[in-house]
């Protein structure tokens, strides 16, 4: 660790991993409810478990992005963080607000929660992924503004690099796009139109800038390749990301009441969206092949390469499978969407957060570049167990989605939704089994932190 103020990142990484565990536990509850409908009912209804599962995913990834920023920006800027105290304060505000919100979901009926939090004054609740009470959303805005102020002021007083500028651009975009969660028009078409400006332009737009910046930072550190080479790749990737991602929003506008031209625009630009992810694969493997440094942290290198591959498969290939309008007409909202969502989030965002944690945590714990051979073996076992489990979760959901599409939406006598769900339950059992393997992989990964000790010195 080069700068003392980088230590605040450790707090965020620990918080992120704790919430990650919560997200997977609720994922297992959901997976069980798919095959045993009354499991934990009425204590945890399906809709509440789903809301907690998806909200925890978003929040822990945000904690991860913030921790990554607090670690890499001081190094990139070659100066201490502007205000470590503000960073610590915002962590506790965000954590307490998030915990109260999750408890609200679990302990109070949603309508009552809306009433208690005065949603009537500024109605924003009730929309998928944006279920947070209005007061929580306001809190998120305050936390993010304070966070961007801290990062921005640190950059202003230090060196400006392409990586930190791309990162800050992504973070500002994240904040701006979230403001559309406060816009809740009564017209349903308008509502869905702008709802995607938060949901799509986060994960297929500005979050990809954050992903690219973190990946570039780690690759510079573990490969020793010239910064100029990596920055050129980064510029190409983010240019393609923005070109394809922004107009690619059109694939969400096919069937919500917008103009017909969106079917052409969405199909064309969505078909191009795998390109930046494929470039990311070439980028990562090229940099590894050209490395001029034998960094002892093999686990961080593995996570970086895994991020590029799994992001390409999940966001690129599985996204393309159902993105063209004639195909999407039949597959929209089926388990194929769920398959794409699971692998894309895992590959693009879960893995990049675990990449930076893998690289930074040994330094933050005072262990040097690694926490030792034993810790790395445990961590890499965690990598493979979680990644293989996610591949099978995706394949099982894809199989369920193909059958669902055929039985429910094709032929002369399409089946009713629940009848079809019963017929594809076999895939849900398999998905649940893979989910338990994923949880096992996460436990192994977390165990690696307790196997650590001061590691090897870096061979430059």
């Amino acid at each position: 660790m080069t700068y003392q103020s980088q230590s605040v990142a450790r707090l965020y990484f620990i918080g992120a991993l704790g919430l990650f565990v919560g997200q997977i536990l609720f994922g297992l509850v959901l997976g069980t409810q798919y095959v045993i409908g009354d499991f934990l009912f009425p204590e945890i209804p399906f809709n509440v478990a789903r809301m907690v599962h998806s909200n925890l995913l978003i929040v822990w990834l945000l904690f991860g992005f913030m921790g990554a920023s607090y670690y890499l920006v001081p190094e990139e800027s070659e100066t201490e963080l502007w205000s470590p105290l503000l960073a610590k304060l915002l962590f506790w505000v965000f954590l307490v607000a998030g915990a109260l919100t999750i408890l609200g979901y679990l302990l109070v009926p949603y309508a009552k929660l809306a009433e208690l939090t005065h949603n009537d004054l500024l109605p924003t609740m009730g929309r998928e992924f944006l279920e947070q009470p209005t007061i929580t959303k306001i809190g998120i805005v305050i936390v993010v503004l304070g966070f961007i102020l801290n990062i921005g002021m640190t950059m202003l007083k230090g060196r400006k690099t392409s990586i930190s500028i791309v990162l800050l651009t992504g973070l500002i975009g994240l904040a701006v796009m979230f403001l559309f969660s406060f816009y809740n028009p009564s017209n349903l078409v308008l509502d869905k139109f702008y709802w995607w400006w938060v949901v799509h332009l986060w994960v297929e737009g500005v979050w990809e800038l954050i992903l690219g910046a973190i990946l570039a930072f780690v690759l510079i550190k573990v490969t020793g390749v010239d910064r100029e080479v990596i920055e050129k790749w980064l510029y190409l990737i983010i240019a393609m990301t923005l070109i394809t991602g922004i107009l690619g929003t059109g694939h969400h506008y096919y069937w919500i009441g917008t103009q017909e031209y969106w079917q052409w625009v969405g199909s064309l630009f969505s078909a191009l969206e795998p390109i930046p992810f494929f470039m990311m694969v070439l980028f990562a493997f090229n940099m590894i092949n050209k490395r001029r440094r034998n960094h002892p942290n093999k686990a961080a290198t593995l996570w970086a390469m895994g991020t590029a591959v799994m992001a390409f498969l999940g966001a690129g290939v599985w996204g393309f499978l159902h993105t063209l309008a004639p195909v999407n007409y039949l597959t929209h909202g089926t388990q194929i969407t769920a398959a794409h969502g699971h692998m894309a989030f895992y590959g693009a965002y879960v893995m990049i957060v675990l990449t930076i944690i893998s690289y930074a945590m040994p330094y933050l714990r005072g262990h040097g570049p690694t926490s030792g051979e034993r810790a790395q073996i445990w961590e890499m076992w965690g990598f493979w167990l979680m990644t293989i489990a996610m591949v099978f979760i995706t394949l099982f959901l894809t199989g369920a989605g193909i059958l669902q599409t055929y039985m429910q939406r094709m032929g002369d006598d399409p089946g009713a939704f629940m009848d079809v769900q019963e017929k594809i339950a076999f895939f849900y059992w398999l998905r649940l089994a893979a989910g338990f393997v994923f949880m096992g992989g996460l436990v192994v990964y977390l165990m690696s932190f307790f196997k650590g000790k001061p590691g090897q010195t870096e061979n430059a």
Side-chain angles (χ1 to χ4, degrees):
M1 190 170 66
T2 311
Y3 299 93
Q4 189 60 38
S5 57
Q6 287 176 290
S7 62
V8 298
R10 181 174 176 171
L11 200 58
Y12 281 84
F13 290 152
I14 292 172
L17 292 177
L19 295 172
F20 184 23
V21 173
Q23 186 224 338
I24 301 307
L25 285 174
F26 276 91
L28 291 175
V29 170
L30 275 174
T32 307
Q33 288 179 336
Y34 260 92
V35 289
I36 305 173
D38 57 356
F39 179 69
L40 291 182
F41 184 84
E43 288 77 15
I44 306 179
F46 178 86
N47 64 311
V48 172
R50 186 175 185 273
M51 191 162 58
V52 174
H53 177 64
S54 57
N55 277 226
L56 279 175
L57 168 67
I58 295 166
V59 172
W60 88 257
L61 289 178
L62 290 178
F63 270 109
F65 292 160
M66 294 166 84
S69 305
Y70 285 134
Y71 185 84
L72 76 83
V73 167
E75 277 201 18
E76 287 293 296
S77 303
E78 296 182 338
T79 182
E80 294 285 357
L81 193 63
W82 181 64
S83 176
L85 178 62
L86 178 61
K88 291 176 185 174
L89 178 67
L90 291 177
F91 170 83
W92 289 110
V93 170
F94 197 17
L95 188 68
V96 171
L100 290 175
T101 301
I102 296 299
L103 287 175
Y105 291 159
L106 293 171
L107 301 177
V108 183
Y110 192 71
K112 186 66 177 176
L113 183 63
E115 182 184 333
L116 289 173
T117 55
H118 299 289
N119 184 64
D120 54 317
L121 298 177
L122 179 59
T124 68
M125 296 176 68
R127 290 177 293 171
E128 191 179 14
F129 307 133
L130 302 178
E131 297 94 346
Q132 308 85 29
T134 303
I135 192 168
T136 302
K137 290 192 179 80
I138 294 172
I140 291 172
V141 170
I142 293 170
V143 167
V144 171
L145 287 178
F147 162 66
I148 290 176
L149 171 70
N150 211 353
I151 294 297
M153 293 302 290
T154 304
M155 287 175 56
L156 279 177
K157 72 188 180 91
R159 182 179 66 155
K160 286 82 178 169
T161 68
S162 299
I163 289 176
S164 56
I165 290 171
V166 169
L167 177 70
L168 184 63
T169 305
L171 295 173
I172 292 173
L174 181 154
V176 170
M177 289 302 126
F178 185 70
L179 295 179
F180 286 94
S181 69
F182 290 90
Y183 181 52
N184 188 15
S186 56
N187 183 301
L188 190 58
V189 175
L190 278 178
D191 177 32
K192 295 301 286 184
F193 189 93
Y194 289 106
W195 179 80
W196 285 113
W197 284 31
V198 184
V199 177
H200 173 91
L201 290 179
W202 262 22
V203 299
E204 295 179 55
V206 293
W207 281 27
E208 289 184 30
L209 305 190
I210 299 169
L211 158 65
I214 298 173
L215 186 61
F217 173 80
V218 173
L219 286 175
I220 285 177
K221 299 296 181 183
V222 299
T223 66
V225 172
D226 287 342
R227 174 179 290 273
E228 291 74 17
V229 176
I230 287 184
E231 288 178 345
K232 284 175 186 171
W233 274 94
L234 181 60
Y235 284 134
L236 278 174
I237 290 170
I238 63 168
M240 284 305 299
T241 295
L242 292 176
I243 291 169
T244 60
I246 292 174
L247 285 172
T249 314
H251 66 239
H252 298 296
Y253 294 162
Y254 295 157
W255 325 116
I256 65 170
T258 54
Q259 293 85 349
E260 194 174 341
Y261 62 75
W262 281 112
Q263 294 181 30
W264 290 96
V265 174
S267 295
L268 175 63
F269 285 92
S270 299
L272 299 175
E273 281 194 76
I275 293 176
F277 289 103
F278 183 65
M279 292 171 67
M280 207 174 292
V281 175
L282 296 178
F283 167 53
F285 280 80
N286 262 324
M287 296 308 105
I288 298 294
N289 286 333
K290 292 179 180 175
R291 61 185 165 195
R292 298 162 51 188
R293 175 184 300 159
N294 189 22
H295 197 284
N297 194 334
K298 308 298 182 193
T301 307
L302 181 63
W303 280 113
M305 295 170 70
T307 298
V309 173
M310 294 298 288
F312 170 65
L313 290 175
V317 176
W318 255 261
F320 177 75
L321 286 178
H322 66 138
T323 199
L324 300 178
V327 177
N328 189 270
Y329 179 74
L330 295 171
T331 62
H332 183 81
T334 65
Q335 292 298 334
I336 294 176
T337 307
H340 159 58
H342 276 75
M343 188 180 272
F345 261 102
Y346 177 73
Y349 301 119
V350 170
M351 293 185 84
I352 192 60
V353 170
L354 298 185
T355 298
I356 186 70
I357 290 176
S358 178
Y359 173 77
M361 270 304 233
Y363 290 111
L364 292 169
R365 301 173 72 194
H367 289 180
T370 79
S371 292
E373 189 72 21
R374 196 164 172 231
Q376 286 208 61
I377 291 172
W378 278 78
E379 184 177 349
M380 288 192 279
W381 268 103
F383 168 93
W384 286 113
L385 284 170
M386 284 192 283
T387 303
I388 292 171
M390 183 52 68
V391 168
F392 278 99
I393 287 171
T394 303
L395 291 175
F396 295 144
L397 287 174
T398 304
I402 291 171
L403 277 179
Q404 182 186 7
T405 301
Y406 177 73
M407 291 191 286
Q408 190 179 313
R409 297 182 177 174
M410 299 177 74
D412 296 329
D413 185 24
F417 177 79
M418 289 309 296
D419 291 340
V420 172
Q421 291 297 306
E422 286 186 15
K423 291 176 180 173
I424 60 178
F426 176 67
F427 287 97
Y428 294 147
W429 279 106
L430 293 176
R431 187 266 302 268
L432 179 60
F436 276 103
V437 174
F438 188 96
M439 187 70 200
L442 176 56
V443 171
V444 170
Y445 169 77
L446 294 174
M447 287 293 292
S448 71
F449 291 100
F450 299 95
K451 305 294 180 184
K453 59 182 180 181
Q456 300 152 275
T457 55
E458 186 175 350
N459 298 320

